[in-house]
Amino acid sequence: EAGVTQSPRYAVLQEGQAVSFWCDPISGHDTLYWYQQPRDQGPQLLVYFRDEAVIDNSQLPSDRFSAVRPKGTNSTLKIQSAKQGDTATYLCASSFNWGGGDTQYFGPGTRLLVL
Amino acid sequence: GEQVEQLPSILRVQEGSSASINCTYENSASNYFPWYKQEPGENPKLIIDIRSNMERKQTQGLIVLLDKKAKRFSLHITDTQPGDSAMYFCAASYNVLYFGSGTKLTVEP
């Protein structure tokens, strides 16, 4: 079974530039999560979807970050006008069900460096 | 929400000894407690988890204990090997995962 895939693996930006991250969850997983993991810290949830619906985006900096999952499969996380404080690894995860008790499988992540 | 505290942040042990990592949580509604291992440049990988209807779970040299009254759970790695060296994260969940800040475990030969 293929795992969660993400692209790109690395991105280097100047402040003010935009970037998009793409995630393909495990087939059949209806719940998809985006996490931000600063260096030497634990992952912090940004947003999660059940199918195409946003369930919780309260931790997403809405003025510059956006996330979509239009067909309930792949998802895109976009940062408009990146800041140095956005430097982190962005992890996508998926689970079969939502509700908290289902195992989440993580993709390899996208390492973002904002100069 | 939920707040998860994880200690210690750095742990060094000798090969063959045990290593213990402790986490506390605040929300009594949390009912699922996974542990993830993350190696440099890699994604977090689930190594063991425990649900609130259990107090202890053991698999392949790993033991997880859960004390719901104290809102505390812990990971114990028995007979550590250099390959166990990594970052370890605990998490607590009642709807989404809330992660601790991580423990950097180094197993010295």
Side-chain angles (χ1 to χ4, degrees):
Chain A
E1 175 182 277
V4 177
T5 56
Q6 291 186 246
S7 65
R9 293 296 311 274
Y10 303 92
V12 180
L13 305 175
Q14 297 290 331
E15 273 200 323
Q17 289 186 305
V19 64
S20 292
F21 309 134
W22 179 84
C23 174
D24 188 5
I26 293 172
S27 178
H29 282 193
D30 68 2
T31 308
L32 184 148
Y33 310 81
W34 283 103
Y35 290 88
Q36 182 190 63
Q37 186 177 22
R39 186 178 175 84
D40 295 331
Q41 295 185 35
Q44 297 157 15
L45 183 72
L46 292 173
V47 59
Y48 77 106
F49 299 83
R50 184 183 184 192
D51 297 322
E52 68 278 6
V54 173
I55 304 300
D56 185 350
N57 63 356
S58 59
Q59 301 305 309
L60 199 62
S62 58
D63 58 335
R64 296 185 300 110
F65 286 62
S66 62
V68 294
R69 194 186 184 199
K71 297 182 180 178
T73 51
N74 302 334
S75 177
T76 303
L77 176 69
K78 185 172 183 178
I79 307 176
Q80 301 267 21
S81 189
K83 298 182 178 180
Q84 288 186 353
D86 299 331
T87 293
T89 297
Y90 291 82
L91 294 164
C92 178
S94 69
S95 65
F96 186 67
N97 285 314
W98 74 296
D102 226 37
T103 300
Q104 292 187 25
Y105 298 89
F106 284 85
T110 297
R111 288 186 157 188
L112 173 66
L113 174 61
V114 183
L115 302 173
Chain B
E2 176 63 280
Q3 293 281 343
V4 179
E5 296 259 357
Q6 182 173 347
L7 290 172
S9 55
I10 297 173
L11 181 59
R12 289 181 177 272
V13 300
Q14 292 293 317
E15 182 177 357
S17 66
S18 297
S20 296
I21 304 171
N22 299 292
C23 291
T24 58
Y25 62 99
E26 294 185 353
N27 194 326
S28 57
S30 289
N31 56 13
Y32 174 61
F33 307 91
W35 288 86
Y36 285 84
K37 177 182 180 181
Q38 187 175 28
E39 304 198 54
E42 299 289 322
N43 55 340
K45 292 181 173 61
L46 180 72
I47 54 173
I48 191 170
D49 57 13
I50 190 167
R51 299 181 189 275
S52 58
N53 61 348
M54 301 177 72
E55 294 179 349
R56 175 189 170 100
K57 186 173 181 180
Q58 181 170 356
T59 178
Q60 294 180 329
L62 303 175
I63 300 170
V64 171
L65 303 176
L66 173 62
D67 182 342
K68 287 177 289 186
K69 271 189 176 178
K71 296 180 185 171
R72 183 169 55 215
F73 58 113
S74 57
L75 173 69
H76 306 273
I77 307 172
T78 59
D79 189 23
T80 54
Q81 301 297 311
D84 294 325
S85 297
M87 285 290 289
Y88 290 81
F89 294 96
C90 63
S93 171
Y94 62 92
N95 59 353
V96 296
L97 288 179
Y98 296 88
F99 284 85
S101 54
T103 296
K104 183 175 182 180
L105 173 65
T106 302
V107 180
E108 296 170 337

